[in-house]
Amino acid sequence: MSILPSNFYDELLQSDGTPRLGCEHVAQWLKENEAADIATLNQQALSMFYRKGVTFTVYSEASNIERVIPFDIIPRIIPLEEWRMLEQGCTQRIQALNMFLHDIYHERKIIKEGLVPAKQIMVNECYQPWMYDIKLPFPIYAHISGIDLVRHGDGKYYVLEDNLRTPSGVSYMLEGRKITESLLLDLFNKQKVLPVDNYPQLLKENLIACSGKDNPHIVVLTPGRFNSAYYEHAFLAREMGATLVHGYDLFVEDNFVYIKTVSGRQKVDVIYRRLDDAFLDPLAFRPDSILGVPALMAAYRSGNVLICNAPGTGVADDKSIYPYVDDMIRFYLSEEPILLNVPTYQCRKPDDLKYVLANLDKLVVKETQGSGGYGMLVGPKASKKEIEEYRLRLEADPEGFIAQPTLALSTCQTCVDEGIAPRHIDLRPFVLTGPDKVRIVPGGLTRVALREGSLVVNSSQGGGVKDTWVVDTQTVQGGQ
């Protein structure tokens, strides 16, 4: 195993080369096995992903190539004690974000108090006037969330971004766990790894609870098989026992939503949508959308169907709103944030813009509406030409960008062409918010930048995924 410089936090080994808490068995396994043998296991894992059809689509390529998600066989370990802190931090954060969304579509207290500028909310392209003053069964807007976390060289976790619209990747987490249990059974059984396989059941229970009905009819609304996450849409519908539908399968009559079936129409109570706001309803949003359901928002405003996540949630995960989340936690919960935000420069502010333009080679600059690693500049890795081209974009539309210092993302040993080597990773826990509690399956999805030195973990940018083992270290130590 090779070790990166000490400014990167190694998730497996401490600075003296000894395994971290909970990592003892994995470190020993890596030591005892030849890199070639681990590479063979890794290839078996990739083949299993291929046979299952676990794919994503690369939109940046002209042919929109569908690829198998790269899966790395070496797991990432998180001790249970550490996970509990992350769990509490994600719970706190999503509670505040849901309260923020309810507030801005109702009383707007946070705006009146001057904590968040009205302009950054009201003219945000993700703010949906259709959502104003809707009375939901419960004040929950982001029912399913993905909070992206990174560990910096200081050993602390930072929130990179909040995904509240249609977060994806949970199928990779579930399929990855099945593979590691199958191929690494002896290693897996040497420690107590907390399970994740109950996520589909928890998701279904959460949708039922949020609907306020005993036996609601649930559908998963997909834009279709050409969407990058279509595999996941079909996977979750199957696992929940829900119906996978396209927009043309549904229709609205008298403000109720129905599905067409061979035995006649059936009323729909809950729509787990994997479709962006703009395409949900051509009568309310984009009139050219053929993916949505005409009059869906009328049915929603009438309280006759629940849409998860709610339209308009995107305003809370917009990167220009991100710097205010700590203030939201203090304002709505009267608590100090458990998880840290990355220091952020808002390019809409003249002083921040001036600093960013002078330091483009040192910063990561992102579009406020960007996702999937598209449209960002990683200054330290960019060429002079790329920096100058980005400078022109930034000067033309400063309100569309934020900038952050380049974090020293932690590393995990990874199976790559050169052998076993450290690669940078992040973590996306999946958060389910219900009327009575927030539930998070232990671990979430670890994404890994497979290219040496790369800090971009997105699959669309060449990244892969790992299984995340939350390990009860007391059980591990007791069994030694």
Side-chain angles (χ1 to χ4, degrees), residues 221 246-251 260 290-293:
L221 177 60
H246 299 77
Y248 53 73
D249 295 316
L250 305 177
F251 67 96
K260 305 168 189 174
I290 60 173
L291 301 175
V293 185

Side-chain angles (χ1 to χ4, degrees), residues 53-60 63-69 165-172 220-236 244-247 272-277 279-280 291 371 374 428 459-460:
V54 186
T55 61
F56 68 100
T57 301
V58 183
Y59 290 132
S60 59
S63 55
N64 284 355
I65 296 175
E66 190 175 48
R67 296 178 176 172
V68 175
I69 187 79
R165 307 178 204 191
T166 55
S168 63
V170 73
S171 61
Y172 305 153
V220 177
L221 177 60
T222 176
R225 69 182 186 89
F226 293 109
N227 183 268
S228 63
Y230 178 72
Y231 172 84
E232 179 160 295
H233 307 166
F235 174 87
L236 288 175
L244 183 68
V245 299
H246 299 77
Y272 174 25
R273 56 87 172 231
R274 298 298 295 260
L275 191 63
D276 292 342
D277 285 2
F279 301 97
L280 277 174
L291 301 175
S371 63
Y374 294 107
R428 178 177 289 182
S459 56
S460 57

Side-chain angles (χ1 to χ4, degrees), residues 173-452:
M173 173 189 76
L174 295 169
E175 295 286 25
R177 175 57 57 84
K178 291 177 184 177
I179 287 175
T180 53
E181 281 193 69
S182 172
L183 297 180
L184 304 179
L185 184 60
D186 290 342
L187 178 61
F188 190 88
N189 286 338
K190 286 181 180 178
Q191 50 207 325
K192 183 178 180 182
V193 182
L194 274 63
V196 297
D197 58 345
N198 61 335
Y199 176 88
Q201 182 60 35
L202 293 179
L203 172 59
K204 184 176 182 178
E205 290 173 2
N206 198 61
L207 295 176
I208 292 172
C210 290
S211 75
K213 299 181 179 179
D214 292 332
N215 188 29
H217 186 176
I218 301 171
V219 300
V220 177
L221 177 60
T222 176
R225 69 182 186 89
F226 293 109
N227 183 268
S228 63
Y230 178 72
Y231 172 84
E232 179 160 295
H233 307 166
F235 174 87
L236 288 175
R238 182 176 68 250
E239 292 294 313
M240 287 194 294
T243 308
L244 183 68
V245 299
H246 299 77
Y248 53 73
D249 295 316
L250 305 177
F251 67 96
V252 175
E253 187 175 296
D254 297 329
N255 285 342
F256 286 91
V257 180
Y258 296 93
I259 181 174
K260 305 168 189 174
T261 74
V262 292
S263 57
R265 67 181 189 180
Q266 295 180 8
K267 189 163 74 72
V268 173
D269 301 299
V270 179
I271 298 176
Y272 174 25
R273 56 87 172 231
R274 298 298 295 260
L275 191 63
D276 292 342
D277 285 2
F279 301 97
L280 277 174
D281 180 351
L283 300 181
F285 305 120
R286 282 185 55 161
D288 61 341
S289 172
I290 60 173
L291 301 175
V293 185
L296 176 60
M297 285 303 294
Y300 182 64
R301 286 191 64 88
S302 299
N304 295 326
V305 69
L306 182 69
I307 301 175
C308 303
N309 287 341
T313 56
V315 69
D317 72 6
D318 183 285
K319 293 178 179 63
S320 68
I321 298 297
Y322 167 91
Y324 300 99
V325 178
D326 283 357
D327 290 333
M328 293 179 199
I329 292 170
R330 298 183 183 101
F331 182 70
Y332 295 117
L333 301 176
S334 300
E335 299 172 359
E336 283 300 307
I338 296 171
L339 296 172
L340 301 170
N341 260 18
V342 180
T344 302
Y345 300 97
Q346 300 186 60
C347 297
R348 65 176 61 240
K349 296 180 178 180
D351 288 345
D352 283 12
L353 177 62
K354 183 179 179 181
Y355 178 83
V356 171
L357 290 172
N359 293 276
L360 282 176
D361 61 331
K362 304 179 184 69
L363 300 170
V364 175
V365 189
K366 305 175 183 178
E367 297 174 346
T368 57
Q369 293 294 319
S371 63
Y374 294 107
M376 65 187 291
L377 175 79
V378 182
K381 300 292 183 181
S383 66
K384 289 184 178 180
K385 180 182 178 182
E386 289 170 331
I387 289 174
E388 291 311 310
E389 289 176 348
Y390 212 93
R391 183 188 303 277
L392 296 176
R393 294 183 60 201
L394 192 49
E395 290 174 335
D397 180 28
E399 293 192 359
F401 297 87
I402 58 98
Q404 297 170 332
T406 306
L407 293 180
L409 273 64
S410 65
T411 65
C412 186
Q413 297 296 325
T414 302
C415 189
V416 293
D417 291 342
E418 305 88 88
I420 307 300
R423 292 292 185 265
H424 296 292
I425 59 172
D426 78 350
L427 176 67
R428 178 177 289 182
F430 295 98
V431 185
L432 299 173
T433 305
D436 302 319
K437 57 185 173 181
V438 175
R439 291 185 284 192
I440 310 173
V441 292
L445 180 71
T446 289
R447 301 184 298 177
V448 54
L450 295 174
R451 297 171 185 162
E452 185 176 3

Side-chain angles (χ1 to χ4, degrees), residues 24-50:
E24 299 86 355
H25 290 297
V26 171
Q28 187 64 27
W29 174 73
L30 288 171
K31 187 176 180 180
E32 291 175 349
N33 287 273
E34 296 289 337
D37 295 331
I38 296 175
T40 299
L41 277 175
N42 202 60
Q43 189 57 50
Q44 290 177 359
L46 289 171
S47 297
M48 292 171 75
F49 257 48
Y50 180 79

